[in-house]
């Protein structure tokens, strides 16, 4: 089921204390309206009762979507700095919910789920957009790396990320965004040929793919955050 808890949140504009139902978990199969709210970027947005400013809490919930074969632990954007610790938390939670430590019936469900960890709303939404479009998020992240190598105007500021916002028959629409505020800095359209080019040369990406998939946080950000899991284990 989908779980919500009532909590008090202060408006970032006027400091008025508002009450809202904050999400703890989403079952998109039972509540497809919540899936749609995430896709439409309107989930968990609250309007201040005092000044009408709209804002939303950073995500901290798990998302189950059996129809689309996806399970996500969505965390606040600033949690990315501790992604290895959060990967371990994600793996453990998925394991007890749908993995090896879960009841047999839940394991049967889990066999058809992809487990992912995300940071910030736009990252969680991106995973859902890609899954519904039938695209492999691992290939997409490697495609982003390929784009960055050839893109003279890439944004490399701290907290700025490259996210897929939509997928059409011909293109992937991407945006440079600020993870915490969700502000879009620049948009671009990339032909699906860029995706298929990486997919067809997947064997040449073995080292990068291994780093991307050494935990449930499948995102090029992890490639820029120090030595990663292997170095952490060596130390």
């Amino acid at each position: 089921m989908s779980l919500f808890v009532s909590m008090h949140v202060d408006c970032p504009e006027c400091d008025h204390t508002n009450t809202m139902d904050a999400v703890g978990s989403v079952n998109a199969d039972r509540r497809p309206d919540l899936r749609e709210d995430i896709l439409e970027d309107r989930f968990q947005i609250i309007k201040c009762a005092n000044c009408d400013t709209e804002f939303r809490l950073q995500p901290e919930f798990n998302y189950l979507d059996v129809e689309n074969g996806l399970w996500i632990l969505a965390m606040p954007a600033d949690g990315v700095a501790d992604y290895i610790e959060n990967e371990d938390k994600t793996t453990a939670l998925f394991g007890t919910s749908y993995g090896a430590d879960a009841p047999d019936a839940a394991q049967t469900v889990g066999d058809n789920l992809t487990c992912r960890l995300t940071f910030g709303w736009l990252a969680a939404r991106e995973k859902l957009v890609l899954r519904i479009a039938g695209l492999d998020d691992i290939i997409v992240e490697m495609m982003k790396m390929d784009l960055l190598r050839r893109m003279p105007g890439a944004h490399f500021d701290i907290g700025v990320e490259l996210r897929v916002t939509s997928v059409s028959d011909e293109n992937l629409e991407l945006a440079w965004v600020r993870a915490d505020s969700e502000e879009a800095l620049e948009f671009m359209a990339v032909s699906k040929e860029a995706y298929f080019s990486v997919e067809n040369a997947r064997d040449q990406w073995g080292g990068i793919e291994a780093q991307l998939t050494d935990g449930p946080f499948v995102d090029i950000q992890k490639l820029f955050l120090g030595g990663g899991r292997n170095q952490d284990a060596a130390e």
Side-chain angles (χ1 to χ4, degrees), residues 3-7 9 20-26 31 33-34 36-38 40-47 54-61 121 182:
L3 298 175
F4 292 80
V5 59
S6 180
M7 67 180 297
V9 292
M20 71 174 295
D21 291 331
V23 65
S25 66
V26 168
R31 291 289 306 272
D33 58 309
L34 300 182
E36 190 64 22
D37 284 346
I38 293 172
E40 293 297 324
D41 268 339
R42 61 185 179 224
F43 188 51
Q44 292 283 272
I45 292 178
I46 181 175
K47 178 182 286 189
E54 288 190 342
F55 63 98
R56 68 173 163 181
L57 299 177
Q58 282 288 311
E60 194 163 0
F61 68 101
W121 283 110
E182 303 177 45

Side-chain angles (χ1 to χ4, degrees), residues 10 26 32 34 41 44 51 76 79 96 100 131 137 139 142 158 184 192 206 208 214 217-218 224 226 233:
D10 294 334
V26 168
L34 300 182
D41 268 339
Q44 292 283 272
C51 69
T96 57
R131 180 51 62 107
D137 64 329
I139 299 294
M142 294 190 294
I158 296 175
K192 275 189 176 177
I208 296 296
D214 64 3
F217 178 45
V218 177
F224 307 120

Side-chain angles (χ1 to χ4, degrees), residues 74-124:
M75 300 292 289
D78 61 7
V80 69
D82 300 313
Y83 82 86
I84 293 178
E85 177 183 337
N86 282 306
E87 278 193 326
D88 292 340
K89 174 182 177 180
T90 302
T91 300
L93 180 58
F94 183 80
T96 57
S97 300
Y98 298 101
D101 298 322
D104 290 345
Q107 288 188 42
T108 300
V109 174
D111 287 342
N112 297 306
L113 294 174
T114 296
C115 172
R116 290 292 184 257
L117 165 67
T118 61
F119 298 98
W121 283 110
L122 300 180

Side-chain angles (χ1 to χ4, degrees), residues 2-232:
S2 300
L3 298 175
F4 292 80
V5 59
S6 180
M7 67 180 297
H8 300 298
V9 292
D10 294 334
C11 173
E13 186 66 26
C14 72
D15 289 329
H16 177 76
T17 299
N18 297 267
T19 301
M20 71 174 295
D21 291 331
V23 65
S25 66
V26 168
N27 185 321
D29 301 287
R30 295 184 178 180
R31 291 289 306 272
D33 58 309
L34 300 182
R35 179 198 292 131
E36 190 64 22
D37 284 346
I38 293 172
L39 289 169
E40 293 297 324
D41 268 339
R42 61 185 179 224
F43 188 51
Q44 292 283 272
I45 292 178
I46 181 175
K47 178 182 286 189
C48 177
N50 182 58
C51 69
D52 289 338
T53 295
E54 288 190 342
F55 63 98
R56 68 173 163 181
L57 299 177
Q58 282 288 311
E60 194 163 0
F61 68 101
N62 60 74
Y63 173 89
L64 172 65
D65 194 334
V66 175
E67 178 182 339
N68 289 297
L70 188 62
W71 185 94
I72 300 172
L73 181 61
M75 300 292 289
D78 61 7
V80 69
D82 300 313
Y83 82 86
I84 293 178
E85 177 183 337
N86 282 306
E87 278 193 326
D88 292 340
K89 174 182 177 180
T90 302
T91 300
L93 180 58
F94 183 80
T96 57
S97 300
Y98 298 101
D101 298 322
D104 290 345
Q107 288 188 42
T108 300
V109 174
D111 287 342
N112 297 306
L113 294 174
T114 296
C115 172
R116 290 292 184 257
L117 165 67
T118 61
F119 298 98
W121 283 110
L122 300 180
R125 178 183 179 276
E126 178 184 54
K127 295 299 184 188
L128 183 54
V129 167
L130 294 176
R131 180 51 62 107
I132 291 174
L135 299 181
D136 186 331
D137 64 329
I138 302 170
I139 299 294
V140 168
E141 294 304 313
M142 294 190 294
M143 181 199 75
K144 291 179 187 177
M145 286 294 297
D146 191 48
L147 291 172
L148 292 178
R149 292 190 303 189
R150 299 182 285 105
M151 189 183 299
H155 296 267
F156 286 111
D157 299 333
I158 296 175
V160 176
E161 305 169 354
L162 184 60
R163 294 291 170 206
V164 175
T165 58
S166 64
V167 178
S168 68
D169 290 340
E170 297 82 19
N171 298 321
L172 288 83
E173 304 291 334
L174 296 94
W176 287 101
V177 298
R178 297 195 184 279
D180 53 357
S181 67
E182 303 177 45
E183 175 190 3
L185 304 176
E186 183 180 350
F187 296 92
M188 71 181 78
V190 176
S191 170
K192 275 189 176 177
E193 289 304 315
Y195 172 90
F196 295 125
S197 177
V198 173
E199 183 180 50
N200 292 334
R202 190 167 190 165
D203 58 339
Q204 300 176 24
W205 289 83
I208 296 296
E209 182 168 359
Q211 293 180 66
L212 284 170
T213 58
D214 64 3
F217 178 45
V218 177
D219 195 300
I220 60 171
Q221 290 185 87
K222 73 193 304 180
L223 305 181
F224 307 120
L225 292 171
R229 182 171 292 277
N230 291 334
Q231 176 173 310
D232 187 70

